[in-house]
């Protein structure tokens, strides 16, 4: 079925540490994955995306890893800062003529100063 | 940096009333979306809109819902007869043609149905 879920609902890290947020997806037909950040009172903000023909993509301080064998997606944030505190969602788009984002349940990242 | 805007930020309405939520997508975007997020739950897709017609909708988007692009800038979501369970945060999003995955979200409208 269509479902994207997260392993950890809350992640607490110290400022300066690296954070890893995980996501499992169930639909092997998905060919596009995105990480969104949602701060309190705001809409989801695009962080980074990856297509299914890749297994790693890097941005500024963020890296997304895709393991299609086990249908697992992760977001790594280097040198986590207090401004990174937010809820992080993974989302997927199925292959074919659809632009519908299927969101996971979200992980709250709490950065301790 | 261009952004998606939504009005109002908070709408309170009585059950059975009609509401219209308004969005101004990013000006050079061609795909438009509505999502909703019930408190404490995940963001759910409602509808996508392209070339002045609905391109995809979810089972949530029943006959009580409609979307419209009345002019070159606005994109609206109408709920004809609101129910208590329609209370949620409603997000508008837009994307450029060919980059559908990179959807830019507005700040949302919190709808409270009493």
């Amino acid at each position: 079925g269509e479902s994207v879920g997260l392993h950890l609902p809350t992640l607490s890290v110290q400022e300066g540490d690296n954070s890893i947020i995980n996501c499992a997806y169930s639909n092997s037909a998905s060919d596009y994955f995105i990480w969104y950040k949602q701060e309190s009172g705001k809409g989801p903000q695009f962080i980074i995306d990856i297509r299914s023909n890749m297994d790693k993509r890097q941005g500024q301080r963020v890296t997304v890893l895709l393991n299609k064998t086990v249908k697992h997606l992760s977001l790594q944030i280097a040198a986590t800062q207090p401004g990174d505190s937010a809820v992080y969602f993974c989302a997927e788009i199925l292959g074919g003529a659809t632009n519908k984002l299927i969101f996971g349940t979200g992980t709250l990242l709490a950065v301790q100063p | 940096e261009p952004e998606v805007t939504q009005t109002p930020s908070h709408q309170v309405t009585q059950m059975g009333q009609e509401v219209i939520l308004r969005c101004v997508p990013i000006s050079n975007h061609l795909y438009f979306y509505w999502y909703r997020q019930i408190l404490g739950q995940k963001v759910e897709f409602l509808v996508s809109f392209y070339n002045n017609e609905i391109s995809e909708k979810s089972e949530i988007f029943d006959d009580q819902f409609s979307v419209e692009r009345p002019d070159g800038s606005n994109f609206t979501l109408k709920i004809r007869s609101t129910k208590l369970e329609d209370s949620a945060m409603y997000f508008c999003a837009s994307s450029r043609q060919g980059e559908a995955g990179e959807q830019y979200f507005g700040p949302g409208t919190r709808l409270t149905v009493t």
Side-chain angles (χ1 to χ4, degrees), chain A residues 32 36 38 44 98-101, chain B residues 31 35 37 45 56 100 103:
Chain A
Y32 188 83
Y36 279 92
Q38 187 177 25
T98 177
N99 297 338
K100 175 176 71 174
L101 285 168
Chain B
Y31 290 84
Y35 291 81
Q37 186 178 29
F45 170 82
E56 192 172 3
Q103 295 177 23

Side-chain angles (χ1 to χ4, degrees), chain B residues 25-86:
Chain B
I26 295 173
S27 61
N28 64 347
H29 286 187
L30 299 176
Y31 290 84
F32 314 111
Y33 313 84
W34 283 101
Y35 291 81
R36 80 172 185 189
Q37 186 178 29
I38 294 172
L39 186 64
Q41 298 187 22
K42 64 177 81 171
V43 177
E44 302 173 287
F45 170 82
L46 292 177
V47 66
S48 60
F49 190 87
Y50 171 71
N51 200 25
N52 285 317
E53 60 183 28
I54 291 174
S55 49
E56 192 172 3
K57 61 183 181 179
S58 71
E59 60 272 14
I60 302 169
F61 195 87
D62 61 22
D63 292 345
Q64 293 300 312
F65 291 86
S66 62
V67 289
E68 191 178 30
R69 189 155 162 82
D71 53 41
S73 59
N74 290 282
F75 179 52
T76 62
L77 174 70
K78 181 194 289 187
I79 308 175
R80 218 175 320 275
S81 177
T82 50
K83 303 187 283 285
L84 294 175
E85 54 265 38
D86 293 328

Side-chain angles (χ1 to χ4, degrees), chain B residues 94-107:
Chain B
S94 68
S95 63
R96 286 195 293 265
Q97 186 175 14
E99 296 179 65
E102 194 163 339
Q103 295 177 23
Y104 293 83
F105 283 75

Side-chain angles (χ1 to χ4, degrees), chain A residues 40-52:
Chain A
S40 181
K42 298 184 180 179
Q45 177 188 357
F46 176 92
I47 302 173
I48 191 168
D49 59 358
I50 188 168
R51 297 199 178 273
S52 59

